Amino acid sequence: MGRELKVSSIERGTVIDHIRAGNALKVVRILGIEGSGATVSIVMNVSSGTMGRKDILKVEDRTLSREEVDKIALVAPGATINIIEDFEVVEKHGVELPGEIGTILGCPNEGCVTNSGEPVSPRFTVVGREPVRLRCVYCEEETEDVEENLL
Ligand code: CTP
Ligand code: ZN
């Protein structure tokens, strides 16, 4: 297996590895890190020993909390989170889908209160994991179409 370094190692921060190829930008969107001021490197479509092709995201100088990171299980269920300090991986774990999803998705039901212009933010309960199935807390509409409904 070739070890090619496409993007520099980072001194400190969080590396999200093993993102299914094509989904890195969705992970960026879910984490809401575009406007955060953090330095972010996005590596797309590199070859991986285990998954053919993959994407990688490197967020410098930020240690993302488990809560922040678990949301990305919606679009990157097999992702690995690496916490980097002094250039070393000091923590490595998978992502786990949380029981509830906050305001990163809109409800697909047009009649839902969350789509009515009222100041009510969408929230979903996770009612199925493989495939992911979400139920709106307000109107009980269920959907498996995560990507379609990302805000
Ligand atoms: N990484 C980085 N900066 C560092 C250390 C690691 O950007 N200072 C990145 C690596 O490029 C890799 C990820 O963090 O994408 C995980 O690093 P490491 O555990 O060293 O790689 P692997 O052993 O290949 O990981 P795994 O076993 O999880 O596949
Ligand atoms: Zn709803």
Side-chain angles (χ1 to χ4, degrees), residues 19-148:
I19 300 168
R20 202 194 324 145
N23 281 2
L25 292 176
K26 287 173 202 150
V27 173
V28 169
R29 194 137 55 100
I30 285 180
L31 290 174
I33 47 181
E34 312 96 304
S36 73
T39 299
V40 178
S41 307
I42 303 171
V43 187
M44 295 199 266
N45 220 34
V46 289
S47 60
S48 151
T50 49
M51 34 189 321
R53 299 252 156 199
K54 67 173 179 180
D55 291 352
I56 307 170
L57 201 68
K58 302 190 182 195
V59 185
E60 291 182 48
D61 299 319
R62 279 198 53 196
T63 305
L64 299 172
S65 72
R66 194 135 202 156
E67 217 173 42
E68 282 180 282
V69 141
D70 276 348
K71 298 183 287 191
I72 72 173
L74 284 171
V75 297
T80 308
I81 307 306
N82 299 274
I83 307 297
I84 314 290
E85 277 171 24
D86 293 326
F87 288 104
E88 301 286 334
V89 176
V90 295
E91 195 186 316
K92 184 189 286 278
H93 58 80
V95 292
E96 208 176 307
L97 197 62
E100 221 187 83
I101 301 292
T103 324
I104 56 176
L105 302 170
C107 180
N109 171 12
E110 283 177 23
C112 181
V113 65
T114 61
N115 291 320
S116 67
E118 298 292 320
V120 182
S121 299
R123 271 169 53 210
F124 300 87
T125 307
V126 177
V127 292
R129 283 166 189 269
E130 277 180 59
V132 173
R133 193 168 176 80
L134 303 172
R135 182 193 293 143
C136 176
V137 166
Y138 298 99
C139 72
E140 301 197 329
E141 174 97 349
E142 294 192 7
T143 182
E144 290 180 2
D145 224 336
V146 170
E147 302 191 359
E148 195 104 313

